[in-house]
Amino acid sequence: MKKNRKNLALLLLAASLLAGCAGQSNSQSSQSSQAKSEKKAESKASSKSAAKSAASSAASSTKSSSSQASSKSAASSSQRADANRMGTLTSQLRVKLPGMLLPATDGLGQGSSNLNIRYTSSSSQNVVYYSVGNSPLALNDSRIASEKPYAVLTEKKNVADASSLINYQEPKTGLPAVKIASNVTGTEEGAAGSTYLQFNQGQWSFVVRASNVQGQKPLPTAQKLLALYQQYGLPDTAAKSSVQVDVGESLGSLNTVITWAKGSSVYQLKAHSTETAFKMLKSLS
């Protein structure tokens, strides 16, 4: 009897242990299933977030590209409009001043949209004034006369002695030499409170004047002048011609003076900026 009770107790204990293991296994299985479900949900959320981010980035990139394209298009249209204004005014000038050499480029870095041109003409000379105003005006509008020209182009016609107008300077000797570039040397001399630095290239003489009173030095300007000549060149001329530059650039100063002969005419371009003058002459026709 006692033996049967002992066996029964052992059976009950074994059953209890099996039930506990089964419950623990089910719990672990449930936890594992829940973890897998949560991980799957997190993966889906992450994928959705990445897709949304990629879509947003693509939209932003498309918008940026569209904005850049629009800006470039606007800038290009503005440049075309500026060029067209110079072209339109020059075409009108060619009708009024037939045979005169005229630049096709205004030489400006900015302000082309408000470019204005006026001219005077007689039997002996033509003079064209280039200026930038507050608004674009018609060719020879009377209001342009009150604007300071940034460049003035003059043609003197039927000239008997071009040399008297051109003021070409022969190379100097016996003066201090100044090295302007590795293969270009000029000469320097002082007179009347100024220092003059001269160099010659082909048919052209170049003279830079600096004010001693203002503490100016001619060499930096001479170096810039030589670089512009090498970059843009100057009009073709069979006669000896000249470039004269006063140090210092300011609106209306017209400190750059370039004079040359073409046929029986003598041309002279005065400009407030040396670079502007060279750009205009490069497009001369």
Side-chain angles (χ1 to χ4, degrees):
M1 185 71 173
K2 289 182 179 179
K3 185 176 180 179
N4 289 337
R5 287 179 179 176
K6 186 176 181 180
N7 289 336
L8 181 60
L10 289 173
L11 287 172
L12 289 173
L13 179 60
S16 177
L17 288 173
L18 288 172
C21 288
Q24 185 176 2
S25 175
N26 289 336
S27 176
Q28 289 177 345
S29 175
S30 175
Q31 290 176 356
S32 175
S33 176
Q34 183 177 355
K36 288 180 179 179
S37 178
E38 289 176 353
K39 187 173 183 180
K40 187 175 182 180
E42 288 177 357
S43 177
K44 288 182 178 180
S46 178
S47 297
K48 286 182 179 180
S49 177
K52 186 177 181 180
S53 177
S56 176
S57 177
S60 176
S61 177
T62 301
K63 186 176 181 181
S64 176
S65 297
S66 176
S67 176
Q68 290 177 357
S70 177
S71 296
K72 288 181 179 179
S73 177
S76 178
S77 296
S78 176
Q79 290 173 354
R80 286 196 299 271
D82 293 347
N84 288 341
R85 177 156 180 77
M86 179 64 175
T88 298
L89 292 173
T90 301
S91 294
Q92 294 171 4
L93 269 178
R94 292 193 190 282
V95 174
K96 302 293 184 180
L97 307 174
M100 182 178 180
L101 293 175
L102 295 169
T105 299
D106 61 30
L108 295 171
Q110 58 183 3
S112 296
S113 58
N114 288 333
L115 169 71
N116 290 319
I117 299 177
R118 67 182 180 92
Y119 71 92
T120 62
S121 181
S122 69
S123 59
S124 60
Q125 71 174 18
N126 297 322
V127 185
V128 182
Y129 302 84
Y130 297 83
S131 61
V132 174
N134 295 321
S135 61
L137 301 172
L139 178 68
N140 247 24
D141 188 294
S142 59
R143 290 170 288 180
I144 301 175
S146 64
E147 299 175 355
K148 286 186 177 181
Y150 70 85
V152 179
L153 178 62
T154 301
E155 177 195 18
K156 292 189 179 294
K157 297 180 276 187
N158 303 314
V159 176
D161 182 14
S163 61
S164 63
L165 298 174
I166 292 175
N167 197 29
Y168 172 84
Q169 300 293 308
E170 294 288 349
K172 300 290 195 304
T173 58
L175 294 173
V178 177
K179 189 173 184 179
I180 299 171
S182 59
N183 59 341
V184 178
T185 300
T187 56
E188 188 175 271
E189 65 178 326
S194 298
T195 299
Y196 295 84
L197 178 53
Q198 176 185 334
F199 63 95
N200 292 62
Q201 295 283 287
Q203 293 283 82
W204 293 85
S205 68
F206 299 80
V207 177
V208 176
R209 186 187 74 85
S211 170
N212 296 336
V213 176
Q214 297 181 38
Q216 296 173 341
K217 301 297 181 184
L219 181 57
T221 299
Q223 291 172 328
K224 177 184 176 182
L225 180 56
L226 176 62
L228 289 171
Y229 170 68
Q230 292 173 337
Q231 180 179 358
Y232 295 102
L234 283 168
D236 292 333
T237 174
K240 293 180 177 180
S241 305
S242 69
V243 179
Q244 297 174 314
V245 179
D246 285 354
V247 175
E249 296 181 353
S250 60
L251 183 61
S253 63
L254 305 179
N255 282 347
T256 294
V257 181
I258 301 174
T259 314
W260 73 102
K262 183 70 173 180
S264 61
S265 294
V266 171
Y267 285 86
Q268 183 178 83
L269 178 66
K270 295 182 178 180
H272 81 280
S273 162
T274 306
E275 185 169 4
T276 293
F278 273 84
K279 286 180 178 179
M280 293 179 74
L281 292 182
K282 177 69 174 179
S283 66
L284 204 67
S285 64

